[in-house]
Amino acid sequence: MSSTHTHSKKSQSLTKNQRIVLDLLQNSGEPLKAYFILDSLKKEGLNSPLQVYRALDKLVELGKIHKIESINSFIICNNSNCASNTAFTICERCGKVKEIKNKYLTDGVSDLVKDNKLEITRYNLEFYVLCKSCKIN
Amino acid sequence: MSSTHTHSKKSQSLTKNQRIVLDLLQNSGEPLKAYFILDSLKKEGLNSPLQVYRALDKLVELGKIHKIESINSFIICNNSNCASNTAFTICERCGKVKEIKNKYLTDGVSDLVKDNKLEITRYNLEFYVLCKSCKIN
DNA sequence: CCTCTAAGTGTTATATTATTACATACGTGA
DNA sequence: TCACGTATGTAATAATATAACACTTAGAGG
Ligand SMILES: [Zn+2]
Ligand SMILES: [Zn+2]
Ligand SMILES: [Zn+2]
Ligand SMILES: [Zn+2]
């Protein structure tokens, strides 16, 4: 390490807007909506929807967050390596969202996809459930 | 036909708005957006977004159409029995959408779900692909 | 250091998607 | 007939997302 070449600086560094949006999602752990993010980060200097959407787009592209399509929300990736392949459970009662990191499920889906000759570039799987605490009550 | 009894009318009969929206989706076969539907059916008497959304909601509930979440569009169900469990491929290049009716895939997903002790009430799977004609060109 | 370029920023305005609220109509069953 | 559930029509508004344009910054390479 610490060799002469200075490359790959870019790949590690997020811009200020990207960073504060990522931090908020990280600290929240929950899915957040773009305009909620905007409101939350007004004090940090974010003024317009576009600033939020641009940061979100980039973070999605980098695989650091995911968009949950059916609720128009964004959540931190807790999986670190799912690229653009995502799977979530969403509680139909309380709205709680969990990223599925069960290897067997995601591998299984990949296998099914291969077996069925679907050439998938990426996928988004949203499973609606009744979560444990909602099941009890 | 035209017998005396009038029962079970309700279960078969859609209202006028529901019918014209369903017919449009049926004839199209493609995913359509709510406001496109509205524009298309102005001449049939639809005047407001709400009329469209109400019809769409009902048709989704009846399982006659599906919403494709990642493109905010609605498409006729070509499967007739998928209830609220849906699976689609979406071409990333041309946007073409196909409902997956491959029994092995959907059964496989169900099995995976069972094996992984996920109590799913329904699911929505969106697979992004490069479709055949886009692959060639 | 200088210049070029890709990426990001800030801002305003606008487009697109969806719901709230409220008054009215209509069919079914008690 | 009355109550009830469902659908309707309409206006207003909320929520989500993008277009357009001028400007800035950071890194690559000479
Ligand atoms: Zn992830
Ligand atoms: Zn729950
Ligand atoms: Zn279907
Ligand atoms: Zn295609």
Side-chain angles (χ1 to χ4, degrees), chain A residues 15 47-48 50-51 54:
Chain A
T15 66
N47 292 305
S48 84
L50 199 43
Q51 292 174 301
R54 286 198 281 224

Side-chain angles (χ1 to χ4, degrees), chain A residues 3-131:
Chain A
S3 63
T4 54
H5 53 267
T6 57
H7 71 260
S8 83
K9 198 55 148 308
K10 203 162 195 176
S11 60
Q12 336 166 348
S13 64
L14 299 176
T15 66
K16 181 200 159 225
N17 288 356
Q18 290 159 11
R19 169 55 56 195
I20 62 178
V21 169
L22 181 63
D23 285 349
L24 181 64
L25 286 165
Q26 180 93 63
N27 295 333
S28 162
E30 291 181 329
L32 301 181
K33 287 171 172 279
Y35 277 72
F36 175 89
I37 293 171
L38 176 56
D39 286 344
S40 303
L41 297 179
K42 282 261 167 71
K43 52 185 171 315
E44 313 287 340
L46 284 195
N47 292 305
S48 84
L50 199 43
Q51 292 174 301
V52 175
Y53 281 108
R54 286 198 281 224
L56 289 170
D57 285 351
K58 189 63 183 183
L59 292 169
V60 166
E61 186 189 324
L62 295 174
K64 294 187 179 301
I65 67 173
H66 302 300
K67 180 172 188 182
I68 304 169
E69 296 288 353
S70 63
I71 54 173
N72 299 314
S73 299
F74 299 84
I75 193 169
I76 191 82
C77 173
N78 75 359
N79 218 346
S80 79
N81 63 344
C82 37
S84 324
N85 297 326
T86 63
F88 295 97
T89 60
I90 304 167
C91 178
E92 289 209 289
R93 185 141 171 268
C94 71
K96 188 168 164 186
V97 170
K98 287 175 74 170
E99 183 165 4
I100 302 178
K101 47 182 181 300
N102 186 309
K103 194 172 183 322
Y104 298 105
L105 178 65
T106 50
D107 281 1
V109 168
S110 300
D111 288 348
L112 279 171
V113 159
K114 277 181 207 124
D115 292 350
N116 286 280
K117 306 257 189 304
L118 296 174
E119 293 197 23
I120 306 295
T121 58
R122 63 190 173 91
Y123 58 73
N124 177 52
L125 315 179
E126 302 187 1
F127 295 96
Y128 290 83
V129 302
L130 199 57
C131 80

Side-chain angles (χ1 to χ4, degrees), chain B residues 9-10 18 20-21 27-28 42-43 68 76 84 91 97 106 112 117:
Chain B
K9 198 58 147 302
K10 201 161 194 175
Q18 291 159 12
I20 61 178
V21 169
N27 294 333
S28 162
K42 282 262 167 70
K43 51 185 172 314
I68 304 170
I76 190 84
S84 324
C91 178
V97 169
T106 50
L112 281 170
K117 306 257 191 300

Side-chain angles (χ1 to χ4, degrees), chain B residues 38-117:
Chain B
L38 176 56
D39 286 344
S40 302
L41 297 178
K42 282 262 167 70
K43 51 185 172 314
E44 313 286 341
L46 285 194
N47 292 305
S48 83
L50 197 44
Q51 293 174 301
V52 174
Y53 281 109
R54 285 198 282 225
L56 289 170
D57 286 349
K58 189 64 183 182
L59 294 169
V60 166
E61 186 189 324
L62 295 174
K64 295 188 178 300
I65 66 173
H66 302 299
K67 180 172 188 184
I68 304 170
E69 297 287 354
S70 63
I71 56 173
N72 299 314
S73 299
F74 300 84
I75 192 168
I76 190 84
C77 173
N78 75 358
N79 218 346
S80 80
N81 64 344
C82 38
S84 324
N85 297 326
T86 62
F88 294 97
T89 59
I90 305 167
C91 178
E92 290 210 288
R93 185 142 172 267
C94 71
K96 189 168 164 187
V97 169
K98 288 176 74 169
E99 183 166 4
I100 301 177
K101 46 180 182 298
N102 187 308
K103 193 172 185 317
Y104 298 104
L105 179 65
T106 50
D107 282 2
V109 168
S110 300
D111 288 348
L112 281 170
V113 159
K114 276 181 206 125
D115 292 349
N116 286 280
K117 306 257 191 300

